Amino acid sequence: MSSDLALWCVLAAPIAQALLVALLWRPPGLRDTIHFLFACAGAGWALYLVGAVAAGETARVVLARPLPQVDLAFSAEPLGALIAALILGLGAPHAMHTIGLVRATRERAPARLMALCALATAAAVATALSANLFSFFVAYQALILAVFPLVAHRGDEESRRAAGIFLATLMASSIGLFLPAMVWTYAIAGALDFQPGGVFVGRIDTITANVLLTMFVLGLATTAIPPMHRWLAAATAAPYPALASIYALAILPAGGVGVLKIAAFVFGPALSDAAFAARAMMVLAGVGMCMAALLALSKQDLRERLAYSCMAQSLAVVIGALLALPAGLFAATLQVVALSCAAVTLFMAAGTVAAVTGRANAADYRGLGRVMPVTFAGFALAAASMIGMPPFSGAWAKLWLITASAASGLVWAAALVGLAAVLTFAHLGPLAANALAAKAPSGAIDKPDGASIVLAAPVVVTALATLWLLVLADPLASFLSPIWTPRP
């Protein structure tokens, strides 16, 4: 298989998955088989693409050319290939878990839910593999429109109101800030292609650089940067399979890869010309990170607690990307990986608990690990990674982030990252420990078999994925080095 064909397959697999699930929704067994097999196929093609990129191959597909020097195009470079493989690789166990969850909860519209999750995955993959700002913007809009009906999926007034907030916040920021910044970039550079070393070097003055960076970062509201974070709490109205998709596999990874591409492929060394805006955005992200972790501690509803916890992790990506150092970009990339692995595990585990026991509040988790040991073992591993405990993925991401911040002379940024880790421990550590160590509550399991293997196995698989950076961090640094290495 050529790398170009693999790129086509990676982009098309989740779209085909969504269409076939929507069309062939009866019998349920056929629908579920299609959903899982296409998720696995997408993951396989994405891993092949990563191997091709690591071997030095290139791939690019062009769908249209709406403007001179501006293509609707997608390409495989190390950052995009890695994030696409991450999303699709975690998407396979999530697809299995979704199948088990819609059956356990007797979901009224399972085909629609599965199809929309697949479309959200497709759009997130497209953002990761976008070859330029225009392609990213198109994929970004598609992502928002795909997730919007997931938030409104339940169909009640609360869900519709939440979906309205979600759509208004993300659309307003992207069209009001990101789009004008993109047009301004085209006026300055004459092109919108992503390239190592950026497109602004020698072409932009200090004032313009600061204004553009502010517009780009605030326009990427999917990073949950304040004050553009209102969508995050609203999205908790979605059902559990959609929550894992939104926070772990779609919205937050897309925001992370977006800010990384802006920093590395649009600004590059010119990020130093926007030092004032970069520091201001880092302060905003750092304070927001600590506030989000503190807010998570005040939330009893697991959906809200995990959502704010994910917000804190996502804002760490912004800090790393804006450090203007290779170590910062590497730390931010590791943080995207760690966030996705931990978040998908936590949301799947919480969904399993809600489906099997009907319990959705932190206060009700006490002792549940005694009767659901597999699910809560996965929950505990993911919580440890989110906190930043070695040897899990989150530890390496935070270590690099603190090191890069200190190397930049920004000790306050390193301190904020450390404080956020402490606050994350406060809202996740005791929760996991009490679930595993406390006495089992009576009548906790409504069903005699507890969680089925279709619900428990994906949690274990993604929980173990939080350990992979232990052995692959160094090879990953070599793989990602073209991100900060300008072309000769």
Side-chain angles (χ1 to χ4, degrees):
M1 177 186 289
S2 68
S3 56
D4 284 342
L5 180 57
L7 179 57
W8 274 110
C9 291
V10 167
L11 291 167
I15 298 175
Q17 176 185 353
L19 292 175
L20 290 174
V21 164
L23 292 173
L24 304 176
W25 57 283
R26 285 185 177 175
L30 176 61
R31 174 203 68 205
D32 295 348
T33 301
I34 291 171
H35 187 60
F36 180 64
L37 290 183
F38 269 83
C40 291
W45 283 318
L47 290 174
Y48 179 90
L49 190 62
V50 168
V53 172
E57 297 183 34
T58 59
R60 182 183 175 95
V61 297
V62 179
L63 303 183
R65 173 166 284 187
L67 292 171
Q69 303 300 316
V70 178
D71 296 331
L72 179 57
F74 301 92
S75 63
E77 40 77 27
L79 175 63
L82 172 67
I83 301 303
L86 174 72
I87 292 170
L88 292 172
L90 294 174
H94 176 250
M96 176 184 287
H97 188 267
T98 300
I99 292 167
L101 206 57
V102 298
R103 289 177 176 267
T105 58
R106 294 184 173 89
E107 169 63 45
R108 290 181 297 176
R112 183 178 68 189
L113 181 62
M114 292 177 180
L116 289 172
C117 285
L119 286 177
T121 297
V125 168
T127 61
L129 296 172
S130 55
N132 52 52
L133 278 170
F134 176 73
S135 303
F136 179 88
F137 181 76
V138 172
Y140 190 77
Q141 301 306 299
L143 174 62
I144 295 169
L145 294 175
V147 173
F148 164 68
L150 281 175
V151 180
H153 180 76
R154 298 187 189 278
D156 55 24
E157 184 178 349
E158 180 184 355
S159 298
R160 290 194 295 269
R161 187 187 311 112
I165 295 172
F166 173 89
L167 185 65
T169 304
L170 293 184
M171 278 293 187
S173 59
S174 62
I175 295 175
L177 292 171
F178 192 94
L179 178 59
M182 181 179 70
V183 174
W184 197 352
T185 299
Y186 182 72
I188 293 171
L192 296 174
D193 279 356
F194 293 133
Q195 63 182 49
V199 299
F200 280 155
V201 178
R203 293 175 171 171
I204 192 170
D205 60 84
T206 301
I207 294 176
T208 303
N210 279 280
V211 174
L212 275 175
L213 182 64
T214 302
M215 293 174 69
F216 272 126
V217 174
L218 293 180
L220 284 169
T222 49
T223 59
I225 188 166
M228 306 299 183
H229 66 290
R230 287 192 65 207
W231 66 267
L232 183 125
T236 58
Y240 268 108
L243 291 176
S245 181
I246 292 169
Y247 293 109
L249 306 178
I251 293 290
L252 293 181
V257 77
V259 74
L260 278 164
K261 289 197 171 196
I262 294 298
F265 298 151
V266 176
F267 280 84
L271 198 60
S272 60
D273 295 326
F276 179 81
R279 298 296 183 268
M281 293 297 104
M282 290 170 64
V283 170
L284 195 60
V287 174
M289 181 170 55
C290 295
M291 291 302 297
L294 194 59
L295 278 171
L297 183 60
S298 70
K299 302 296 181 180
Q300 282 299 307
D301 188 313
L302 254 292
R303 296 172 301 175
E304 294 182 346
R305 179 172 292 201
L306 295 180
Y308 279 108
S309 188
C310 288
M311 176 181 170
Q313 306 304 310
S314 178
L315 291 175
V317 178
V318 177
I319 294 177
L322 297 183
L323 282 173
L325 287 176
L329 294 172
F330 183 53
T333 306
L334 293 185
Q335 183 67 14
V336 175
V337 173
L339 168 59
S340 292
C341 291
V344 74
T345 306
L346 291 171
F347 276 108
M348 289 196 302
T352 298
V353 173
V356 174
T357 70
R359 302 184 182 210
N361 288 332
D364 298 329
Y365 269 41
R366 188 176 180 83
L368 285 182
R370 298 278 186 166
V371 292
M372 301 179 69
V374 175
T375 298
F376 275 94
F379 186 95
L381 293 181
S385 181
M386 195 82 93
I387 293 165
M389 295 174 59
F392 303 100
S393 297
W396 311 117
K398 288 178 176 60
L399 176 63
W400 273 93
L401 187 55
I402 291 172
T403 301
S405 299
S408 299
L410 304 178
V411 178
W412 57 266
L416 287 174
V417 173
L419 177 59
V422 172
L423 293 172
T424 302
F425 174 81
H427 69 249
L428 287 180
L431 176 65
N434 287 333
L436 291 169
K439 182 181 178 181
S442 58
I445 299 294
D446 294 339
K447 301 179 181 179
D449 58 344
S452 68
I453 190 170
V454 180
L455 291 174
V459 175
V460 173
V461 170
T462 56
L464 292 176
T466 62
L467 288 165
W468 74 288
L469 288 182
L470 177 64
V471 294
L472 292 179
D474 188 58
L476 191 59
S478 299
F479 176 72
L480 292 170
S481 61
I483 295 175
W484 48 79
T485 305
R487 294 173 181 171

